[in-house]
Amino acid sequence: MAITKMELTPSNKTQTNGLQVAASAAKISDYFGCNVFGPETMRLLLPKDTYAKVQEAIQQGTRFDMEVANAVASAMKTWAISKGATHYCHWFQPLTGVTAEKHDSFIDPTSDGNVLEVFSGKQLVQAEPDASSFPSGGLRATFEARGYTAWDPTSPAFIMETAGGATLCIPTIFVSYNGESLDTKTPLLRSNEALNKAALAVLKYFKTDAAKVFSTLGAEQEYFLIDQEYYRRRPDLILAERTLFGAASPKGQQLEDHYFGSIKDRIFAFMTDAEKELYKLGVPLKTRHNEVAPNQFECAPVFEEANVAVDHNQLVMDLLKRVAARHGLACLLYEKPFAGINGSGKHNNWSLGTDTGKNLLSPGDTPHDNLQFLTFLVSIIKAVHDHSKLLRASIASSGNDHRLGANEAPPAIMSVFLGAQLTTVLDDLEKGVTTKGTEPEWMSFGIDKIPAILRDNTDRNRTSPFAFTGNKFEFRAVGSSFNNAFPVMVLNSIVAEQLIQTKKDIDERLKSKKQLKDAVIDVLRKYYKESKTVCFEGNNYSEEWVKEAKRRGLPNIKTTPEALEGLVEKESVEMFERLGVLSKAETHSRHHIKLEKYVKDIDIEAKLVIDMLRTMYLPAAIEYQGQLANSVRLLRELNPKDPAGKTELELLSDLTKQIDSASRAVESLRKAHVAAEFIDDVEEKAKAYCHKVKPFFDVIRAAVDVLEGLVPDKLWPVPKYREMLFLI
Ligand code: ADP
Ligand code: MG
């Protein structure tokens, strides 16, 4: 589409949001968390003993009685109304992958025909939204559609301000009448509990004073921004969040000039606006920068306890989109909106923290601390090794299939990066030799059997799907549009499972060995030996790694229907059940829902491909075909003896070839699509969509992308890559 024809919406279309933004103050600390019903606000508004009870419930997961709930509800209502809220909602995360909310106003009619604002403990603690339209994966039949939301006091309530008003949002879990989880949060909370128990048991060897262990999460969020006007003209972006067609722009990311480049004014205005909204909600955003691909960006918060971090990441995604719209921009969170350039991920920085403020993945100063560090580190490596298929399943989606293994994204092979120093440490540990550090910055573990390690392990490998980065792991294979609850739940679970085993193995050895140190080292040596095939230090993006991984017997599962099998393998199902994270039925429901989601995604794309080809691309190409044919005819009429028009004829032939190729392929796609639609078994259906339907997208796209280079710019029906990715 010709640029001149675009009614571009430059930054002057940026709307002011019309809110009384407390955030006009310059200092972030002045308004940070002003829309959060956090401990500070509670302490101010609640009677002392009620406050203590609530804090205890939050810290220790104890239940609190209705009296306390009533007091909290009353304080929450007063606070929310003072912030302009007229409604409240239970904010939950059903298995759709996005958040859900059903608003109720505070009003209650009085006998004299007026209304009063009311909000009781009962309304705070539990609600029963009509849940019939949420996916349950067979957990709940539609005719008995009861679903309950229940307050999760560990994630604070907040006020969501939108142009139309303000709403009190109460984070909740979502369960069926029988208590089965219908959401992503319940299993996450359960996995945290399992991890807490297992990690504390191991920590006991090391004489800890910690009473609680939890997972921590810092989710870097990548996204694209394009002008909203372009977005509106791309049905594929609107309905599938990815471009199903589009020839590469002559300039893509090859100049490497976007990464960390100076941020354009319009983007900067958007970023600061979004940040303000998120600061008000207590999201501790820290970092912002341009990413590798054109018009690709990233933001990252300071890490928090995983439960809260998951909610905060949902808010980040929600607000990036809302605020982008205010700035005349569209924010794309999809994993691969544009072919041929980088996709977007959500780098999940994950670690284990204690209530005493310790990071269990931080190497310590004493031999004792380091033995503890190695115990957790090696247990995690073993967990990833033993459950790599499940970990792969945790990040499977139709969007991520395009990203894993494509342009600068970690491949579908799950491996662990440790860095040169740690690898040496573990290799020597395995061999039973002591490495003596020579450089001053080497820090000795001081235990004869454990060699030295670099204190500040800044060694980085940006190609690894699961990289140790000094004091945490970075799970980089997670897709940008994901709800983090699921991958974090899986990570927590496999580590909890392993830590239980680690304790058993150490106990076993302690029967014969006197020293804890010897018992632990013996176990770690065994684990590392058994699982080091999953460790890889080289370039994960290379072809050699694919071959090497195959030689090592590591799975390389490229597509979602197959990857999801990892979720329902016997070991996975039993593990979740043992840990109390997911019942068998709950695990199978997730598998079912994820397969269904995959089918629906590809189904939407198939319909879009057919529709866009027939109603947009073919008409444009045929119009030009007509023009060319006309030219040839006219030229022949003009001079029948020596007809000109060689160029026109060649163009016509090229054009016709592509038109025919696309039309033939769309016919095949249509047939494959109809056949897939009629398959009953969801697993078979997903495979058919993946391997029989989807391949035609590429054939059709190839023809259309060639047409894009032939058809006059002014006839082209949609914005091109070179416009969407560069004009902002
Ligand atoms: P990079 O892009 O170099 O990986 P960033 O600064 O963008 O680094 O992001 C690093 C993320 O890791 C931040 O969100 C940070 O808060 C988080 N992080 C740091 N320590 C921990 C930890 N102990 N647990 C979880 N996340 C952590
Ligand atoms: Mg980063």
PDB file of all heavy atoms in Angstrom, residues 220 348-350 359 361 363 377 417-419 422 455-462 464 466-476:
ATOM      1  N   GLU A 220      11.055 -10.594  31.895  1.00  0.00           N
ATOM      2  CA  GLU A 220      11.325  -9.599  30.852  1.00  0.00           C
ATOM      3  C   GLU A 220      10.264  -9.795  29.770  1.00  0.00           C
ATOM      4  O   GLU A 220       9.995 -10.917  29.367  1.00  0.00           O
ATOM      5  CB  GLU A 220      12.717  -9.822  30.251  1.00  0.00           C
ATOM      6  CG  GLU A 220      13.845  -9.690  31.247  1.00  0.00           C
ATOM      7  CD  GLU A 220      15.160 -10.244  30.698  1.00  0.00           C
ATOM      8  OE1 GLU A 220      15.538  -9.875  29.577  1.00  0.00           O
ATOM      9  OE2 GLU A 220      15.781 -11.051  31.389  1.00  0.00           O
ATOM     10  N   ASN A 348      11.906 -15.601  31.541  1.00  0.00           N
ATOM     11  CA  ASN A 348      11.527 -15.805  32.936  1.00  0.00           C
ATOM     12  C   ASN A 348      12.760 -16.013  33.793  1.00  0.00           C
ATOM     13  O   ASN A 348      13.333 -17.091  33.813  1.00  0.00           O
ATOM     14  CB  ASN A 348      10.623 -17.037  33.049  1.00  0.00           C
ATOM     15  CG  ASN A 348       9.173 -16.687  32.863  1.00  0.00           C
ATOM     16  OD1 ASN A 348       8.829 -15.527  32.697  1.00  0.00           O
ATOM     17  ND2 ASN A 348       8.314 -17.678  32.889  1.00  0.00           N
ATOM     18  N   ASN A 349      13.167 -14.973  34.494  1.00  0.00           N
ATOM     19  CA  ASN A 349      14.269 -15.118  35.435  1.00  0.00           C
ATOM     20  C   ASN A 349      13.672 -15.708  36.696  1.00  0.00           C
ATOM     21  O   ASN A 349      12.764 -15.128  37.289  1.00  0.00           O
ATOM     22  CB  ASN A 349      14.914 -13.766  35.709  1.00  0.00           C
ATOM     23  CG  ASN A 349      15.563 -13.204  34.454  1.00  0.00           C
ATOM     24  OD1 ASN A 349      16.704 -13.501  34.172  1.00  0.00           O
ATOM     25  ND2 ASN A 349      14.807 -12.441  33.665  1.00  0.00           N
ATOM     26  N   TRP A 350      14.206 -16.849  37.072  1.00  0.00           N
ATOM     27  CA  TRP A 350      13.562 -17.642  38.128  1.00  0.00           C
ATOM     28  C   TRP A 350      14.597 -18.087  39.157  1.00  0.00           C
ATOM     29  O   TRP A 350      15.707 -18.477  38.794  1.00  0.00           O
ATOM     30  CB  TRP A 350      12.892 -18.842  37.479  1.00  0.00           C
ATOM     31  CG  TRP A 350      12.292 -19.858  38.394  1.00  0.00           C
ATOM     32  CD1 TRP A 350      11.007 -19.913  38.818  1.00  0.00           C
ATOM     33  CD2 TRP A 350      12.951 -20.986  38.968  1.00  0.00           C
ATOM     34  NE1 TRP A 350      10.822 -21.009  39.623  1.00  0.00           N
ATOM     35  CE2 TRP A 350      12.007 -21.679  39.735  1.00  0.00           C
ATOM     36  CE3 TRP A 350      14.256 -21.469  38.908  1.00  0.00           C
ATOM     37  CZ2 TRP A 350      12.319 -22.840  40.440  1.00  0.00           C
ATOM     38  CZ3 TRP A 350      14.570 -22.620  39.616  1.00  0.00           C
ATOM     39  CH2 TRP A 350      13.598 -23.295  40.367  1.00  0.00           C
ATOM     40  N   ASN A 359      18.874 -15.755  48.624  1.00  0.00           N
ATOM     41  CA  ASN A 359      18.643 -16.344  47.321  1.00  0.00           C
ATOM     42  C   ASN A 359      19.400 -17.669  47.282  1.00  0.00           C
ATOM     43  O   ASN A 359      20.628 -17.681  47.381  1.00  0.00           O
ATOM     44  CB  ASN A 359      19.158 -15.389  46.236  1.00  0.00           C
ATOM     45  CG  ASN A 359      19.055 -15.977  44.837  1.00  0.00           C
ATOM     46  OD1 ASN A 359      18.645 -17.132  44.659  1.00  0.00           O
ATOM     47  ND2 ASN A 359      19.430 -15.198  43.843  1.00  0.00           N
ATOM     48  N   LEU A 361      20.079 -19.591  44.997  1.00  0.00           N
ATOM     49  CA  LEU A 361      20.929 -19.835  43.826  1.00  0.00           C
ATOM     50  C   LEU A 361      22.098 -18.852  43.761  1.00  0.00           C
ATOM     51  O   LEU A 361      22.717 -18.675  42.723  1.00  0.00           O
ATOM     52  CB  LEU A 361      20.101 -19.793  42.546  1.00  0.00           C
ATOM     53  CG  LEU A 361      19.111 -20.949  42.400  1.00  0.00           C
ATOM     54  CD1 LEU A 361      18.386 -20.888  41.070  1.00  0.00           C
ATOM     55  CD2 LEU A 361      19.821 -22.291  42.536  1.00  0.00           C
ATOM     56  N   PRO A 363      25.803 -18.158  44.935  1.00  0.00           N
ATOM     57  CA  PRO A 363      26.927 -18.790  45.616  1.00  0.00           C
ATOM     58  C   PRO A 363      27.290 -17.958  46.843  1.00  0.00           C
ATOM     59  O   PRO A 363      27.203 -16.735  46.810  1.00  0.00           O
ATOM     60  CB  PRO A 363      28.061 -18.736  44.583  1.00  0.00           C
ATOM     61  CG  PRO A 363      27.447 -18.338  43.299  1.00  0.00           C
ATOM     62  CD  PRO A 363      26.151 -17.673  43.608  1.00  0.00           C
ATOM     63  N   LEU A 377      21.587 -26.135  42.879  1.00  0.00           N
ATOM     64  CA  LEU A 377      21.929 -25.998  41.464  1.00  0.00           C
ATOM     65  C   LEU A 377      21.882 -27.350  40.747  1.00  0.00           C
ATOM     66  O   LEU A 377      21.226 -27.502  39.704  1.00  0.00           O
ATOM     67  CB  LEU A 377      23.328 -25.376  41.330  1.00  0.00           C
ATOM     68  CG  LEU A 377      23.762 -25.149  39.888  1.00  0.00           C
ATOM     69  CD1 LEU A 377      23.247 -23.799  39.403  1.00  0.00           C
ATOM     70  CD2 LEU A 377      25.276 -25.186  39.746  1.00  0.00           C
ATOM     71  N   PHE A 417      22.486 -23.940  30.342  1.00  0.00           N
ATOM     72  CA  PHE A 417      23.793 -23.289  30.238  1.00  0.00           C
ATOM     73  C   PHE A 417      24.275 -22.943  31.643  1.00  0.00           C
ATOM     74  O   PHE A 417      23.519 -22.420  32.458  1.00  0.00           O
ATOM     75  CB  PHE A 417      23.672 -22.020  29.400  1.00  0.00           C
ATOM     76  CG  PHE A 417      24.898 -21.132  29.471  1.00  0.00           C
ATOM     77  CD1 PHE A 417      25.998 -21.369  28.659  1.00  0.00           C
ATOM     78  CD2 PHE A 417      24.946 -20.062  30.361  1.00  0.00           C
ATOM     79  CE1 PHE A 417      27.126 -20.562  28.739  1.00  0.00           C
ATOM     80  CE2 PHE A 417      26.075 -19.245  30.438  1.00  0.00           C
ATOM     81  CZ  PHE A 417      27.160 -19.499  29.632  1.00  0.00           C
ATOM     82  N   LEU A 418      25.544 -23.253  31.917  1.00  0.00           N
ATOM     83  CA  LEU A 418      26.072 -22.997  33.260  1.00  0.00           C
ATOM     84  C   LEU A 418      27.174 -21.955  33.282  1.00  0.00           C
ATOM     85  O   LEU A 418      27.426 -21.318  34.311  1.00  0.00           O
ATOM     86  CB  LEU A 418      26.625 -24.295  33.856  1.00  0.00           C
ATOM     87  CG  LEU A 418      25.588 -25.357  34.197  1.00  0.00           C
ATOM     88  CD1 LEU A 418      26.273 -26.662  34.534  1.00  0.00           C
ATOM     89  CD2 LEU A 418      24.715 -24.890  35.358  1.00  0.00           C
ATOM     90  N   GLY A 419      27.859 -21.775  32.182  1.00  0.00           N
ATOM     91  CA  GLY A 419      29.029 -20.895  32.165  1.00  0.00           C
ATOM     92  C   GLY A 419      30.283 -21.716  32.402  1.00  0.00           C
ATOM     93  O   GLY A 419      30.235 -22.796  33.006  1.00  0.00           O
ATOM     94  N   LEU A 422      31.380 -22.571  36.274  1.00  0.00           N
ATOM     95  CA  LEU A 422      30.561 -23.576  36.955  1.00  0.00           C
ATOM     96  C   LEU A 422      30.706 -24.951  36.311  1.00  0.00           C
ATOM     97  O   LEU A 422      30.687 -25.969  36.989  1.00  0.00           O
ATOM     98  CB  LEU A 422      29.092 -23.159  36.921  1.00  0.00           C
ATOM     99  CG  LEU A 422      28.564 -22.462  38.158  1.00  0.00           C
ATOM    100  CD1 LEU A 422      27.080 -22.211  38.019  1.00  0.00           C
ATOM    101  CD2 LEU A 422      28.822 -23.296  39.408  1.00  0.00           C
ATOM    102  N   ARG A 455      33.318 -15.589  41.591  1.00  0.00           N
ATOM    103  CA  ARG A 455      32.268 -15.001  42.412  1.00  0.00           C
ATOM    104  C   ARG A 455      31.190 -14.333  41.549  1.00  0.00           C
ATOM    105  O   ARG A 455      30.015 -14.582  41.677  1.00  0.00           O
ATOM    106  CB  ARG A 455      32.878 -13.961  43.349  1.00  0.00           C
ATOM    107  CG  ARG A 455      31.840 -13.357  44.290  1.00  0.00           C
ATOM    108  CD  ARG A 455      32.453 -12.199  45.013  1.00  0.00           C
ATOM    109  NE  ARG A 455      33.402 -12.643  46.025  1.00  0.00           N
ATOM    110  CZ  ARG A 455      33.042 -12.929  47.274  1.00  0.00           C
ATOM    111  NH1 ARG A 455      31.796 -12.839  47.647  1.00  0.00           N
ATOM    112  NH2 ARG A 455      33.944 -13.308  48.134  1.00  0.00           N
ATOM    113  N   ASP A 456      31.653 -13.502  40.653  1.00  0.00           N
ATOM    114  CA  ASP A 456      30.683 -12.797  39.827  1.00  0.00           C
ATOM    115  C   ASP A 456      30.587 -13.489  38.477  1.00  0.00           C
ATOM    116  O   ASP A 456      31.301 -13.168  37.547  1.00  0.00           O
ATOM    117  CB  ASP A 456      31.131 -11.343  39.658  1.00  0.00           C
ATOM    118  CG  ASP A 456      30.160 -10.588  38.777  1.00  0.00           C
ATOM    119  OD1 ASP A 456      29.012 -11.033  38.665  1.00  0.00           O
ATOM    120  OD2 ASP A 456      30.571  -9.571  38.197  1.00  0.00           O
ATOM    121  N   ASN A 457      29.701 -14.436  38.404  1.00  0.00           N
ATOM    122  CA  ASN A 457      29.593 -15.214  37.178  1.00  0.00           C
ATOM    123  C   ASN A 457      28.784 -14.434  36.139  1.00  0.00           C
ATOM    124  O   ASN A 457      27.587 -14.597  36.004  1.00  0.00           O
ATOM    125  CB  ASN A 457      28.921 -16.544  37.500  1.00  0.00           C
ATOM    126  CG  ASN A 457      28.912 -17.458  36.310  1.00  0.00           C
ATOM    127  OD1 ASN A 457      29.194 -17.028  35.194  1.00  0.00           O
ATOM    128  ND2 ASN A 457      28.583 -18.708  36.514  1.00  0.00           N
ATOM    129  N   THR A 458      29.477 -13.584  35.411  1.00  0.00           N
ATOM    130  CA  THR A 458      28.746 -12.754  34.444  1.00  0.00           C
ATOM    131  C   THR A 458      28.754 -13.375  33.055  1.00  0.00           C
ATOM    132  O   THR A 458      28.304 -12.771  32.101  1.00  0.00           O
ATOM    133  CB  THR A 458      29.355 -11.348  34.363  1.00  0.00           C
ATOM    134  OG1 THR A 458      30.761 -11.493  34.254  1.00  0.00           O
ATOM    135  CG2 THR A 458      28.995 -10.522  35.568  1.00  0.00           C
ATOM    136  N   ASP A 459      29.316 -14.557  32.989  1.00  0.00           N
ATOM    137  CA  ASP A 459      29.322 -15.307  31.759  1.00  0.00           C
ATOM    138  C   ASP A 459      27.894 -15.384  31.225  1.00  0.00           C
ATOM    139  O   ASP A 459      26.975 -15.688  31.951  1.00  0.00           O
ATOM    140  CB  ASP A 459      29.780 -16.720  32.123  1.00  0.00           C
ATOM    141  CG  ASP A 459      30.638 -17.306  31.045  1.00  0.00           C
ATOM    142  OD1 ASP A 459      30.818 -16.625  30.030  1.00  0.00           O
ATOM    143  OD2 ASP A 459      31.112 -18.434  31.225  1.00  0.00           O
ATOM    144  N   ARG A 460      27.706 -15.093  29.958  1.00  0.00           N
ATOM    145  CA  ARG A 460      26.345 -15.130  29.427  1.00  0.00           C
ATOM    146  C   ARG A 460      26.265 -15.982  28.174  1.00  0.00           C
ATOM    147  O   ARG A 460      27.193 -16.023  27.391  1.00  0.00           O
ATOM    148  CB  ARG A 460      25.867 -13.708  29.071  1.00  0.00           C
ATOM    149  CG  ARG A 460      25.446 -12.880  30.256  1.00  0.00           C
ATOM    150  CD  ARG A 460      24.255 -13.528  30.930  1.00  0.00           C
ATOM    151  NE  ARG A 460      23.845 -12.780  32.110  1.00  0.00           N
ATOM    152  CZ  ARG A 460      22.861 -11.898  32.131  1.00  0.00           C
ATOM    153  NH1 ARG A 460      22.199 -11.638  31.044  1.00  0.00           N
ATOM    154  NH2 ARG A 460      22.523 -11.297  33.248  1.00  0.00           N
ATOM    155  N   ASN A 461      25.157 -16.624  28.011  1.00  0.00           N
ATOM    156  CA  ASN A 461      24.885 -17.288  26.751  1.00  0.00           C
ATOM    157  C   ASN A 461      23.451 -16.954  26.407  1.00  0.00           C
ATOM    158  O   ASN A 461      22.517 -17.411  27.052  1.00  0.00           O
ATOM    159  CB  ASN A 461      25.064 -18.797  26.890  1.00  0.00           C
ATOM    160  CG  ASN A 461      24.806 -19.508  25.576  1.00  0.00           C
ATOM    161  OD1 ASN A 461      23.972 -19.081  24.776  1.00  0.00           O
ATOM    162  ND2 ASN A 461      25.511 -20.581  25.317  1.00  0.00           N
ATOM    163  N   ARG A 462      23.305 -16.137  25.376  1.00  0.00           N
ATOM    164  CA  ARG A 462      21.975 -15.634  25.036  1.00  0.00           C
ATOM    165  C   ARG A 462      21.219 -16.594  24.128  1.00  0.00           C
ATOM    166  O   ARG A 462      20.146 -16.275  23.648  1.00  0.00           O
ATOM    167  CB  ARG A 462      22.090 -14.272  24.369  1.00  0.00           C
ATOM    168  CG  ARG A 462      22.794 -13.264  25.244  1.00  0.00           C
ATOM    169  CD  ARG A 462      21.819 -12.154  25.594  1.00  0.00           C
ATOM    170  NE  ARG A 462      22.415 -11.286  26.577  1.00  0.00           N
ATOM    171  CZ  ARG A 462      21.764 -10.775  27.592  1.00  0.00           C
ATOM    172  NH1 ARG A 462      20.504 -11.057  27.755  1.00  0.00           N
ATOM    173  NH2 ARG A 462      22.346  -9.981  28.450  1.00  0.00           N
ATOM    174  N   SER A 464      20.797 -19.910  24.971  1.00  0.00           N
ATOM    175  CA  SER A 464      20.316 -21.067  25.728  1.00  0.00           C
ATOM    176  C   SER A 464      18.879 -20.874  26.192  1.00  0.00           C
ATOM    177  O   SER A 464      18.505 -19.797  26.639  1.00  0.00           O
ATOM    178  CB  SER A 464      21.217 -21.288  26.943  1.00  0.00           C
ATOM    179  OG  SER A 464      20.692 -22.312  27.756  1.00  0.00           O
ATOM    180  N   PHE A 466      17.635 -22.201  28.783  1.00  0.00           N
ATOM    181  CA  PHE A 466      17.578 -22.232  30.244  1.00  0.00           C
ATOM    182  C   PHE A 466      18.997 -21.969  30.761  1.00  0.00           C
ATOM    183  O   PHE A 466      19.813 -22.885  30.895  1.00  0.00           O
ATOM    184  CB  PHE A 466      17.053 -23.598  30.703  1.00  0.00           C
ATOM    185  CG  PHE A 466      16.555 -23.621  32.125  1.00  0.00           C
ATOM    186  CD1 PHE A 466      15.351 -23.017  32.457  1.00  0.00           C
ATOM    187  CD2 PHE A 466      17.283 -24.242  33.123  1.00  0.00           C
ATOM    188  CE1 PHE A 466      14.881 -23.034  33.770  1.00  0.00           C
ATOM    189  CE2 PHE A 466      16.817 -24.264  34.442  1.00  0.00           C
ATOM    190  CZ  PHE A 466      15.615 -23.660  34.759  1.00  0.00           C
ATOM    191  N   ALA A 467      19.273 -20.699  30.983  1.00  0.00           N
ATOM    192  CA  ALA A 467      20.658 -20.306  31.266  1.00  0.00           C
ATOM    193  C   ALA A 467      20.826 -19.869  32.712  1.00  0.00           C
ATOM    194  O   ALA A 467      20.010 -19.113  33.241  1.00  0.00           O
ATOM    195  CB  ALA A 467      21.054 -19.166  30.336  1.00  0.00           C
ATOM    196  N   PHE A 468      21.905 -20.349  33.333  1.00  0.00           N
ATOM    197  CA  PHE A 468      22.224 -19.862  34.671  1.00  0.00           C
ATOM    198  C   PHE A 468      22.938 -18.523  34.511  1.00  0.00           C
ATOM    199  O   PHE A 468      23.887 -18.405  33.746  1.00  0.00           O
ATOM    200  CB  PHE A 468      23.122 -20.851  35.416  1.00  0.00           C
ATOM    201  CG  PHE A 468      23.352 -20.448  36.842  1.00  0.00           C
ATOM    202  CD1 PHE A 468      22.311 -20.501  37.760  1.00  0.00           C
ATOM    203  CD2 PHE A 468      24.584 -19.973  37.269  1.00  0.00           C
ATOM    204  CE1 PHE A 468      22.492 -20.097  39.072  1.00  0.00           C
ATOM    205  CE2 PHE A 468      24.778 -19.570  38.587  1.00  0.00           C
ATOM    206  CZ  PHE A 468      23.728 -19.627  39.486  1.00  0.00           C
ATOM    207  N   THR A 469      22.448 -17.504  35.196  1.00  0.00           N
ATOM    208  CA  THR A 469      23.042 -16.178  35.012  1.00  0.00           C
ATOM    209  C   THR A 469      23.551 -15.617  36.347  1.00  0.00           C
ATOM    210  O   THR A 469      23.228 -14.501  36.734  1.00  0.00           O
ATOM    211  CB  THR A 469      22.037 -15.201  34.379  1.00  0.00           C
ATOM    212  OG1 THR A 469      20.843 -15.210  35.166  1.00  0.00           O
ATOM    213  CG2 THR A 469      21.685 -15.573  32.965  1.00  0.00           C
ATOM    214  N   GLY A 470      24.317 -16.432  37.032  1.00  0.00           N
ATOM    215  CA  GLY A 470      25.008 -15.926  38.221  1.00  0.00           C
ATOM    216  C   GLY A 470      24.304 -16.186  39.531  1.00  0.00           C
ATOM    217  O   GLY A 470      24.896 -16.637  40.498  1.00  0.00           O
ATOM    218  N   ASN A 471      22.995 -15.889  39.574  1.00  0.00           N
ATOM    219  CA  ASN A 471      22.266 -16.155  40.819  1.00  0.00           C
ATOM    220  C   ASN A 471      20.807 -16.532  40.551  1.00  0.00           C
ATOM    221  O   ASN A 471      19.954 -16.428  41.416  1.00  0.00           O
ATOM    222  CB  ASN A 471      22.346 -14.949  41.759  1.00  0.00           C
ATOM    223  CG  ASN A 471      21.769 -13.706  41.096  1.00  0.00           C
ATOM    224  OD1 ASN A 471      21.247 -13.770  39.979  1.00  0.00           O
ATOM    225  ND2 ASN A 471      21.845 -12.583  41.778  1.00  0.00           N
ATOM    226  N   LYS A 472      20.534 -16.918  39.309  1.00  0.00           N
ATOM    227  CA  LYS A 472      19.166 -17.292  38.921  1.00  0.00           C
ATOM    228  C   LYS A 472      19.240 -18.003  37.578  1.00  0.00           C
ATOM    229  O   LYS A 472      20.270 -17.940  36.906  1.00  0.00           O
ATOM    230  CB  LYS A 472      18.317 -16.029  38.768  1.00  0.00           C
ATOM    231  CG  LYS A 472      18.857 -15.086  37.684  1.00  0.00           C
ATOM    232  CD  LYS A 472      18.123 -13.762  37.639  1.00  0.00           C
ATOM    233  CE  LYS A 472      18.608 -12.861  36.525  1.00  0.00           C
ATOM    234  NZ  LYS A 472      19.986 -12.392  36.653  1.00  0.00           N
ATOM    235  N   PHE A 473      18.175 -18.672  37.218  1.00  0.00           N
ATOM    236  CA  PHE A 473      18.092 -19.223  35.866  1.00  0.00           C
ATOM    237  C   PHE A 473      17.227 -18.308  35.018  1.00  0.00           C
ATOM    238  O   PHE A 473      16.267 -17.708  35.514  1.00  0.00           O
ATOM    239  CB  PHE A 473      17.491 -20.631  35.884  1.00  0.00           C
ATOM    240  CG  PHE A 473      18.491 -21.696  36.215  1.00  0.00           C
ATOM    241  CD1 PHE A 473      18.610 -22.177  37.510  1.00  0.00           C
ATOM    242  CD2 PHE A 473      19.336 -22.200  35.238  1.00  0.00           C
ATOM    243  CE1 PHE A 473      19.546 -23.158  37.821  1.00  0.00           C
ATOM    244  CE2 PHE A 473      20.273 -23.175  35.540  1.00  0.00           C
ATOM    245  CZ  PHE A 473      20.387 -23.658  36.828  1.00  0.00           C
ATOM    246  N   GLU A 474      17.564 -18.228  33.748  1.00  0.00           N
ATOM    247  CA  GLU A 474      16.748 -17.450  32.822  1.00  0.00           C
ATOM    248  C   GLU A 474      16.110 -18.428  31.840  1.00  0.00           C
ATOM    249  O   GLU A 474      16.792 -18.998  31.000  1.00  0.00           O
ATOM    250  CB  GLU A 474      17.633 -16.421  32.090  1.00  0.00           C
ATOM    251  CG  GLU A 474      16.829 -15.460  31.242  1.00  0.00           C
ATOM    252  CD  GLU A 474      17.683 -14.345  30.624  1.00  0.00           C
ATOM    253  OE1 GLU A 474      18.896 -14.291  30.906  1.00  0.00           O
ATOM    254  OE2 GLU A 474      17.140 -13.549  29.861  1.00  0.00           O
ATOM    255  N   PHE A 475      14.812 -18.644  32.004  1.00  0.00           N
ATOM    256  CA  PHE A 475      14.064 -19.550  31.126  1.00  0.00           C
ATOM    257  C   PHE A 475      13.590 -18.700  29.952  1.00  0.00           C
ATOM    258  O   PHE A 475      12.602 -17.993  30.054  1.00  0.00           O
ATOM    259  CB  PHE A 475      12.907 -20.146  31.933  1.00  0.00           C
ATOM    260  CG  PHE A 475      12.152 -21.254  31.256  1.00  0.00           C
ATOM    261  CD1 PHE A 475      12.664 -21.945  30.168  1.00  0.00           C
ATOM    262  CD2 PHE A 475      10.903 -21.642  31.744  1.00  0.00           C
ATOM    263  CE1 PHE A 475      11.955 -22.978  29.566  1.00  0.00           C
ATOM    264  CE2 PHE A 475      10.182 -22.675  31.151  1.00  0.00           C
ATOM    265  CZ  PHE A 475      10.710 -23.334  30.060  1.00  0.00           C
ATOM    266  N   ARG A 476      14.353 -18.784  28.864  1.00  0.00           N
ATOM    267  CA  ARG A 476      14.149 -17.839  27.770  1.00  0.00           C
ATOM    268  C   ARG A 476      13.189 -18.349  26.703  1.00  0.00           C
ATOM    269  O   ARG A 476      12.851 -17.619  25.771  1.00  0.00           O
ATOM    270  CB  ARG A 476      15.493 -17.493  27.120  1.00  0.00           C
ATOM    271  CG  ARG A 476      16.494 -16.895  28.084  1.00  0.00           C
ATOM    272  CD  ARG A 476      17.868 -16.721  27.468  1.00  0.00           C
ATOM    273  NE  ARG A 476      17.871 -15.755  26.400  1.00  0.00           N
ATOM    274  CZ  ARG A 476      17.945 -16.037  25.116  1.00  0.00           C
ATOM    275  NH1 ARG A 476      18.009 -17.270  24.712  1.00  0.00           N
ATOM    276  NH2 ARG A 476      17.953 -15.089  24.214  1.00  0.00           N
TER     277      ARG A 476
END
